[in-house]
Amino acid sequence: MSNFLEAIKNRRSYYGISKEQVVSDEKIQKIVNEAVLHTPSAFNSQSTRVVVLLGENHDKVWAITADELKKIVPAENFASTEEKINSFKAGYGTVLFFEDQEVVEGLQKQFGAYADNFPIWSAHTSAMHQLVIWTALEEAGFGASLQHYNPLIDEAVQVKWDLPGTWKLVAQMPFGKPTAEPGQKEYKPLEERVKVFK
């Protein structure tokens, strides 16, 4: 099996992660930079925007998430929610994925015949960036998972890090040194999922 497919195979959702440093912060930035530079996008739109939060900034995004969840989760049910959020906060960093709506809307205006498709293609573009960065972090020795606390935290995140209003938050990826193995994964038969016609 190729190194690429082996990396895809090894990429899993890790929920047990720690703040222990696995590689340098510069290496993390290089991974993200290379992924953003080379991951494809519809019409070469390059609409994905990525924010990497390390140190206190990583802790802050999960404090924001907890604060926003307190507003909607009944107090008697909050303990399990808080435990989950703390498991993400226990990691080394978080990658935030955004799609720049100014780019998407510009393409809609430029190519009216495809206008309805550009938000869908934007979601595809973001998903590809998520997979590439997730797999590259895995290869570097990190465990990660993909979370979706948007749009609940969108406004607070935008204000805290002074981000453009056109950046729409899509997903959050906490990562850190794995402290527990991922759960067992069940696979549906490939015969039900793949058809080959010769």
Side-chain angles (χ1 to χ4, degrees), residues 27-140:
K27 174 71 172 176
I28 294 168
Q29 183 174 347
K30 183 176 182 185
I31 287 169
V32 172
N33 285 349
E34 290 291 303
V36 170
L37 194 61
H38 298 292
T39 300
S41 58
F43 281 62
N44 196 30
S45 62
Q46 300 177 51
S47 55
T48 299
R49 306 289 180 261
V50 174
V51 173
V52 180
L53 301 174
L54 303 172
E56 292 179 2
N57 287 290
H58 159 73
D59 292 344
K60 183 62 181 174
V61 76
W62 297 109
I64 286 171
T65 305
D67 289 345
E68 295 300 323
L69 285 166
K70 279 180 189 173
K71 297 174 185 177
I72 62 168
V73 177
E76 63 271 17
N77 298 336
F78 191 70
S80 61
T81 297
E82 186 173 36
E83 183 179 349
K84 187 175 183 182
I85 297 303
N86 285 339
S87 73
F88 305 140
K89 188 176 179 180
Y92 187 82
T94 300
V95 181
L96 303 180
F97 295 89
F98 300 81
E99 282 294 300
D100 191 338
Q101 298 309 292
E102 185 175 14
V103 174
V104 176
E105 290 166 11
L107 287 166
Q108 288 178 304
K109 290 174 184 172
Q110 187 178 356
F111 302 100
Y114 301 111
D116 291 344
N117 289 324
F118 282 110
I120 298 167
W121 294 337
S122 168
H124 297 171
T125 296
S126 182
M128 286 190 283
H129 282 78
Q130 293 163 32
L131 178 62
V132 170
I133 290 175
W134 194 348
T135 304
L137 288 173
E138 168 90 23
E139 273 200 310

Side-chain angles (χ1 to χ4, degrees), residues 14-26:
Y14 283 85
Y15 296 105
I17 52 176
S18 77
K19 292 189 183 300
E20 188 175 342
Q21 189 168 25
V22 175
V23 298
S24 70
D25 292 351
E26 291 75 20

